């Protein structure tokens, strides 16, 4: 027998109560019974996104919602300004290019947050930029970009929409759509929403809807105007991911009970504890300047083959971490701490790291990582 622990930054563990709720007999989605749940979920999403705006629910993974967020808010001939500090920043640009748009790339090294001044300068110099696309957390680089600061800049341009990929940030960090000037905010179900993959939610501001009325890129399934119309009738334009929406009803109730400030504080403690644990083992963090609260990345010792390490931890110990992507393949480890994660999950992660590093011949004092993490995790119980 081997118990499995899902410790990668998506998909993340699903709470038992959510799985049970989704196991109820199938419900037809064009019924008053489903609409009642749908309306409650919509209100819960507005609480989570900290917004009065519409939050659309789409049957797709996060990337589908990203595509929709490009094509619904840009016009032919406009440019997309893309913050490219990792795999997912690059994805914004690739989507825009697939629709024939020119991209203004603002590159930052993986693990380094973007400098908002670079965005201010680019916007000032190029009036053909129609949207700014960024990640609140680029999961590939485990970095948090300065969303509020960039929001203050984009706010000054009435024709420029501010589109934020919050796929590994909503439900983790204090991202308030209305306060932070975010026009379009995207989240996916398999991250901090604690659900299986297949549902994405997109918040849309009034400024973005104004832009939508002029946006002329081709679209059919991801036509947000149709979704807005359906939302007014407490439904979706096409068949919704009904079981995931029912699961989300349960998740949002859990989040309301925990309250957002406590949820943010929990993620902050788990993130700090994970960082402290890894650093106590002598590992260098990937994003020391602005580490994400959702997951932590660290460089493995040079003597360790990262691909073999991830495989060993998963197949021999039952603990699934994520490795690196692109130029970081085989070099880093990424550990999740968003969603249905608490104190002792971090202890398991750091303990597994220690046992595996020992197996791979790395020299350190066993227990130092766990002990460093525990000192911070104690804060969970001192409130
Ligand atoms: C920040 C971020 N953006 C986008 C995506 C892509 O989402 P999906 O895999 O659900 O299409 C991911 C997935 O890991 C992500 O972490």
């Amino acid at each position: 027998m081997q118990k499995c622990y899902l410790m990668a930054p998506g998909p993340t563990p699903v709470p038992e109560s959510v799985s049970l709720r989704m196991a109820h007999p199938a419900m037809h989605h064009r019924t008053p019974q489903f609409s009642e749940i749908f309306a409650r979920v919509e209100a819960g999403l507005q609480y989570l996104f900290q917004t009065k705006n519409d939050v659309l629910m789409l049957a797709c993974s996060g990337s589908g919602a990203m595509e929709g967020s490009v094509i619904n808010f840009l016009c032919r001939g406009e440019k997309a300004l893309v913050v490219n500090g990792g795999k997912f920043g690059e994805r914004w640009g690739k989507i825009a290019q697939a629709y024939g748009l020119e991209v203004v790339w603002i590159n930052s090294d993986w693990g380094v947050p973007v400098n908002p001044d670079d965005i201010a300068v680019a916007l000032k110099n190029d009036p053909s930029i129609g949207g700014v696309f960024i990640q609140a957390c680029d999961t590939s680089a485990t970095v948090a970009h300065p969303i509020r600061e960039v929001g203050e800049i984009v706010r000054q341009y009435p024709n420029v929409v501010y589109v934020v990929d919050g796929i590994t940030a909503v439900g983790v960090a204090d991202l308030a759509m209305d306060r932070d000037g975010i026009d379009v905010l995207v989240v996916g179900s398999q991250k901090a929403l604690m659900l299986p993959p297949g549902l994405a939610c997109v918040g849309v501001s009034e400024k973005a809807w104004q832009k939508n009325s002029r946006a002329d890129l081709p679209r059919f399934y991801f036509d947000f105007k149709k979704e807005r119309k359906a939302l007014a009738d407490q439904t979706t334009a096409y068949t919704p991911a009904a079981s995931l929406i029912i699961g989300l009803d349960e998740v949002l109730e859990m989040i309301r009970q925990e309250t957002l400030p406590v949820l943010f504080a929990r993620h902050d403690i788990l993130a700090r504890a994970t960082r402290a644990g890894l650093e106590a083992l002598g590992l260098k963090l990937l994003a020391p300047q602005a580490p994400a609260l959702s997951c932590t990345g660290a460089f493995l010792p040079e003597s360790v083959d990262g691909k073999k390490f991830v495989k060993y931890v998963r197949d021999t110990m039952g603990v699934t971490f994520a490795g690196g992507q692109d130029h970081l393949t085989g070099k880093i480890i990424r550990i999740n701490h968003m969603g249905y994660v608490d104190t002792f999950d971090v202890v398991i992660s750091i303990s597994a790291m220690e046992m595996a590093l020992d197996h791979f011949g790395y020299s350190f004092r066993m227990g130092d990582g766990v002990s460093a993490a525990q000192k911070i995790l104690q804060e969970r119980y001192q409130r």
Side-chain angles (χ1 to χ4, degrees):
M1 178 272 194
Q2 186 179 62
K3 195 163 172 182
C4 290
Y5 302 90
L6 201 47
M7 305 297 195
T12 66
V14 177
E16 299 80 349
S17 61
V18 175
S19 298
L20 287 172
R21 182 79 191 279
M22 290 191 296
H24 278 207
M27 179 187 268
H28 197 286
H29 56 278
R30 307 286 185 211
T31 57
Q33 290 78 8
F34 185 75
S35 287
E36 189 188 321
I37 296 171
F38 191 84
R40 199 163 53 231
V41 168
E42 175 66 14
L45 285 171
Q46 287 175 323
Y47 170 72
L48 181 66
F49 280 50
Q50 303 187 61
T51 187
K52 293 193 178 68
N53 296 325
D54 298 326
V55 184
L56 310 177
M57 289 173 244
L58 305 169
C60 60
S61 84
S63 302
M66 288 173 75
E67 179 160 340
S69 300
V70 172
I71 60 183
N72 278 276
F73 304 109
L74 290 182
C75 306
R76 286 187 174 98
E78 282 187 333
K79 291 180 194 157
L81 184 152
V82 169
V83 172
N84 178 16
K87 195 83 197 149
F88 298 108
E90 185 186 55
R91 187 163 302 175
W92 278 132
K94 283 188 172 171
I95 295 170
Q97 285 171 336
Y99 283 89
L101 298 171
E102 203 178 311
V103 174
V104 176
W105 296 99
I106 303 283
N107 297 315
S108 63
D109 287 339
W110 288 35
V112 177
V114 71
N115 180 350
D117 293 346
D118 293 347
I119 295 170
V121 170
L123 283 174
K124 204 163 163 210
N125 290 341
D126 195 342
S128 60
I129 292 171
V132 170
F133 296 82
I134 192 170
Q135 270 61 39
C137 159
D138 197 313
T139 324
S140 60
T142 64
V143 69
H145 287 302
I147 294 305
R148 263 209 222 192
E149 290 85 337
V150 176
E152 286 307 315
I153 295 163
V154 183
R155 233 190 251 280
Q156 298 160 28
Y157 294 83
N159 287 323
V160 180
V161 281
Y162 184 34
V163 184
V164 177
D165 169 353
I167 289 174
T168 51
V170 171
V172 177
D174 186 8
L175 208 57
M177 196 175 176
D178 297 354
R179 180 197 68 201
D180 300 343
I182 301 171
D183 295 309
V184 182
L185 181 59
V186 179
V187 73
S189 54
Q190 78 276 22
K191 311 285 186 178
L193 294 187
M194 306 182 260
L195 290 164
L199 175 72
C201 307
V202 188
V204 183
S205 75
E206 266 319 307
K207 180 179 167 189
W209 285 124
Q210 298 276 322
K211 192 82 199 282
N212 173 262
S213 62
R214 286 181 285 122
D216 57 357
L217 290 167
R219 52 187 176 266
F220 181 78
Y221 182 71
F222 293 121
D223 184 339
F224 287 3
K225 201 182 283 177
K226 276 193 227 154
E227 293 297 342
R228 187 186 205 192
K229 195 163 168 284
L231 189 66
D233 295 328
Q234 289 161 357
T235 187
T236 49
Y238 307 101
T239 303
S243 53
L244 294 173
I245 291 174
I246 291 168
L248 184 54
D249 190 27
E250 190 71 27
V251 166
L252 290 166
E253 182 52 31
M254 283 172 69
I255 290 176
R256 272 191 197 277
Q257 279 184 18
E258 184 174 17
T259 74
L260 288 181
V262 176
L263 178 149
F264 299 144
R266 169 168 59 88
H267 282 88
D268 178 61
I269 292 171
L270 302 183
R272 281 191 287 117
T274 304
R275 294 200 294 271
L278 294 173
E279 285 190 299
L281 299 177
L283 304 188
K284 246 180 70 205
L285 298 177
L286 176 59
Q289 205 183 324
L293 297 191
S294 56
C295 57
T296 295
F299 290 93
L300 288 165
E302 272 178 21
S303 58
V304 173
D305 177 332
K307 276 189 175 173
K308 286 191 183 146
F309 185 88
V310 171
K311 189 172 177 328
Y312 173 80
V313 181
R314 183 190 63 221
D315 298 343
T316 310
M317 305 171 93
V319 179
T320 301
F321 293 135
Q325 292 163 287
D326 287 1
H327 65 287
L328 295 178
T329 303
K331 297 199 169 112
I332 61 162
I333 191 85
R334 288 177 301 143
I335 301 178
N336 177 60
H337 31 74
M338 75 183 132
Y340 191 47
V341 178
D342 205 347
T343 312
F344 298 100
D345 297 303
V346 173
V347 174
I348 289 169
S349 289
I350 302 296
S351 172
M353 283 297 294
E354 290 191 353
M355 290 164 74
L357 284 168
D358 184 58
H359 170 82
F360 278 81
Y362 176 64
S363 165
F364 65 102
R365 209 168 58 195
M366 189 79 99
D368 276 2
V370 169
S371 161
Q374 281 176 323
K375 286 193 184 100
I376 291 172
L377 291 168
Q378 279 285 31
E379 289 177 28
R380 286 277 290 142
Y381 311 109
Q382 283 158 1
R383 281 160 187 270

